């Protein structure tokens, strides 16, 4: 939906640099749309315009899409009156020219840095910490999304969980989605979506699925993983709409979809492989079993974050089920089980993980319900920054 009736000075503006393809912009676009549906005027500054228009209808600089004013983040930075709430996503740094404009405005805008998501224990203690600017009369606060009270919560649009429940309670809706995608899973098939950064042991996992006792219908969005699958299968390429049958494994490449379409895909599958932050959170709202590939960081800092989430996510699970999840997730992330050891292969860890899937499916529903009870990210923003913003 295009519109041009948003206020000249929005309530909120979000600054986003496109760092890793769809990751940062995926979070920012979801948050911007969510805030707009709650009645706020929202402006989104993006430096990677081509990536943005892959997620939403093509638009010109300054156009309004889904209630969000879209602006190119260019150099030199254009003149713009700052919003009442200024969010720099993932430490991208507000341009100096805009900071000067913020300092000149009365009252001063609320200013925060939206941090990356983490389940580490220290997050709640750092949420909301202040950082005065060394020169200007401005104070930035650090805003941490999270999984527990005392953090900023997760992006959860109004009606999201109700829509997911209605979809999953309606077999016809699932069948219609698959039909629209040109997919016809066998009645007893394990339907798996695969979205990842790539994996050196992918071919071995495909072999395990192909030789396994249960049919596996593997749905892969076009792009990096479709190319990796083609290579693993000895093909030069696999285009959207193409498929490949290998024993019990049926591979289907899907065309790129928007965020709402991706949500429905996650709702429809039995197991979702996801990566980074945005698809990771959406898989949790899907209330389906999942496998997370965390974004790699220098000096293996991501290992700590992976372990922190697994510890929180598996709390209360039977020991054998929790162990199967940890073992497979660590193998998928190429993390060794022992100090100085070599990582296990996903194929070797698959049988135990597959056996645990019925319990993990029930746990995913329980986990989603726990998250639903927490304030969502937009609500936390409103409460944290009152009276600058009211939702």
């Amino acid at each position: 939906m295009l519109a041009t009736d948003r206020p000249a000075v929005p309530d909120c503006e979000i600054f986003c640099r496109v760092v890793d393809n769809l990751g940062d912009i995926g979070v920012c676009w979801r948050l911007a749309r969510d805030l707009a549906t709650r009645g706020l005027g929202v402006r989104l500054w993006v430096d990677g315009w081509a990536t943005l228009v892959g997620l939403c209808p093509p638009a010109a600089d300054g156009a309004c899409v889904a209630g969000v004013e879209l602006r190119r983040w260019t150099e030199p930075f254009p003149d713009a009156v700052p919003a009442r709430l200024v969010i720099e996503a993932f430490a991208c740094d507000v341009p100096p020219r805009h900071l000067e404009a913020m300092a000149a405005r009365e009252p001063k805008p609320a200013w925060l840095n939206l941090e990356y998501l983490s389940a580490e224990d220290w997050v709640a203690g750092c949420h909301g910490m202040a950082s005065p600017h060394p020169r200007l009369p401005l104070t930035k606060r650090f805003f941490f999304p999270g999984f527990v009270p005392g953090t900023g919560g997760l992006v959860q649009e109004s009606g999201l969980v109700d829509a997911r429940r209605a979809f999953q309670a309606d077999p016809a809706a699932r069948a219609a989605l698959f039909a629209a995608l040109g997919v016809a899973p066998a009645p007893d098939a394990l339907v798996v979506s695969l979205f990842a950064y790539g994996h050196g042991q992918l071919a071995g996992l495909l072999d395990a699925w192909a030789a396994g006792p249960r049919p596996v219908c593997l749905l892969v969005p076009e792009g990096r993983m479709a190319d990796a699958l083609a290579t693993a299968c000895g093909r030069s390429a696999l285009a959207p709409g193409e498929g490949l049958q290998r024993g019990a494994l049926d591979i289907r490449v899907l065309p790129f979809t928007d965020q709402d379409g991706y949500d429905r895909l996650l709702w429809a599958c039995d197991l979702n492989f996801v990566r980074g932050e945005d698809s990771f959170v959406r898989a949790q709202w899907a209330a389906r079993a999942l496998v997370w590939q965390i974004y790699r960081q220098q000096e293996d800092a991501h290992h700590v974050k992976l372990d922190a989430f697994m510890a929180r996510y598996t709390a209360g699970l039977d020991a054998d089920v929790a162990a199967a999840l940890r073992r497979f997730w660590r193998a998928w992330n190429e993390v060794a089980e022992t100090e100085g050891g070599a990582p296990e292969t996903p194929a070797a860890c698959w049988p135990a993980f597959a056996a645990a899937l019925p319990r993990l499916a029930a746990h995913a529903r329980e986990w989603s319900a726990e998250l639903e009870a927490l304030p969502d990210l937009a609500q936390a923003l409103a409460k944290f920054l009152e009276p600058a913003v009211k939702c």
Side-chain angles (χ1 to χ4, degrees):
M1 178 184 71
L2 297 177
T4 57
D5 56 352
R6 304 305 295 176
V9 181
D11 301 296
C12 170
E13 59 186 342
I14 303 172
F15 287 81
C16 176
R17 288 197 182 277
V18 177
V19 177
D20 180 58
N21 198 13
L22 302 175
D24 294 357
I25 185 56
V27 173
C28 292
W29 176 235
R30 286 194 195 275
L31 177 59
R33 288 197 302 159
D34 189 19
L35 291 168
T37 63
R38 302 180 191 228
L40 292 178
V42 182
R43 176 195 292 153
L44 176 60
W45 296 96
V46 182
D47 66 340
W49 198 258
T51 303
L52 171 65
V53 298
L55 295 176
C56 67
D61 185 15
C64 193
V65 179
V68 178
E69 179 191 352
L70 302 178
R71 294 297 310 272
R72 288 179 182 265
W73 183 348
T74 58
E75 297 295 341
F77 192 77
D79 287 325
V81 179
R84 291 188 293 143
L85 165 62
V86 179
I87 300 172
E88 57 181 37
F90 315 122
C92 67
D93 293 329
V94 173
R97 185 175 187 177
H98 203 66
L99 281 177
E100 296 284 353
M102 289 163 58
R105 180 171 177 177
E106 292 295 342
K108 300 289 187 289
W111 175 27
L112 64 87
N113 177 52
L114 177 64
E115 294 282 354
Y116 287 105
L117 176 64
S118 177
E120 294 169 279
D121 291 337
W122 58 264
V123 166
C126 293
H127 178 60
M129 289 185 65
S131 176
H133 192 277
R135 180 176 58 83
L136 299 173
L138 295 169
T139 297
K140 175 167 60 178
R141 294 187 178 272
F142 296 95
F143 194 94
F144 285 85
F147 305 97
V148 296
T151 65
L154 305 173
V155 175
Q156 180 196 170
E157 302 90 326
S158 299
L160 172 67
V161 173
D162 288 341
R164 185 210 75 212
R165 287 178 177 147
F167 180 94
Q168 293 178 338
D170 183 4
R174 185 174 190 253
L177 174 65
F178 287 153
L181 295 172
V183 175
D188 59 339
L190 178 73
V191 184
V192 180
S193 76
L194 178 60
F195 185 52
Y197 296 114
H199 200 289
Q201 299 296 326
L202 177 61
L205 183 58
L206 297 179
D207 290 342
W209 284 339
R214 182 181 181 184
V216 174
C217 180
L218 182 62
L219 308 180
V220 187
E222 66 176 307
R224 183 182 302 181
M225 281 312 299
D227 295 340
L229 272 172
T231 300
C233 295
R235 297 277 295 272
S236 59
L238 284 170
E242 281 194 277
L244 185 64
Q245 188 76 40
R246 295 181 54 196
L249 175 62
D250 180 19
I251 300 172
R252 300 289 167 176
V253 177
L254 306 181
F256 186 86
T257 184
D258 60 13
Q259 290 183 324
D260 295 338
Y262 183 65
D263 280 339
R264 289 189 291 273
L265 176 65
L266 296 177
W267 300 348
C269 291
D270 302 305
L271 173 63
N272 294 303
F273 284 71
V274 290
R275 73 183 203 190
E277 181 169 326
D278 183 56
S279 61
F280 174 48
V281 171
R282 305 315 284 192
Q284 292 172 67
W285 288 129
R288 299 295 198 194
L290 72 147
V291 178
W292 180 34
Q293 187 177 34
I294 191 170
Y295 185 80
R296 289 178 178 270
Q297 294 180 292
Q298 292 181 347
E299 300 180 357
D300 293 333
H302 58 291
H303 291 186
V304 176
K305 295 183 178 181
L306 177 68
D307 287 342
F309 180 79
M310 288 193 297
R312 193 173 298 280
Y313 187 70
T314 60
L317 276 173
D318 294 340
D320 58 335
V321 175
L325 181 143
R326 284 195 299 269
R327 185 181 169 207
F328 189 83
W329 281 32
R330 288 174 72 86
W332 188 243
N333 284 278
E334 301 178 272
V335 179
E337 284 291 317
T338 59
E339 184 73 26
E344 292 190 272
T345 67
C349 301
W350 173 253
F353 185 74
L357 281 176
R359 180 65 188 96
L360 290 173
H363 177 66
R365 294 189 293 271
E366 296 161 3
W367 175 259
S368 180
E370 290 180 19
L371 295 180
E372 185 186 358
L374 299 174
D376 63 58
L377 188 59
Q379 291 171 332
L381 283 169
K383 180 177 180 181
F384 182 69
L385 295 168
E386 288 177 345
V389 175
K390 296 185 183 297
C391 289

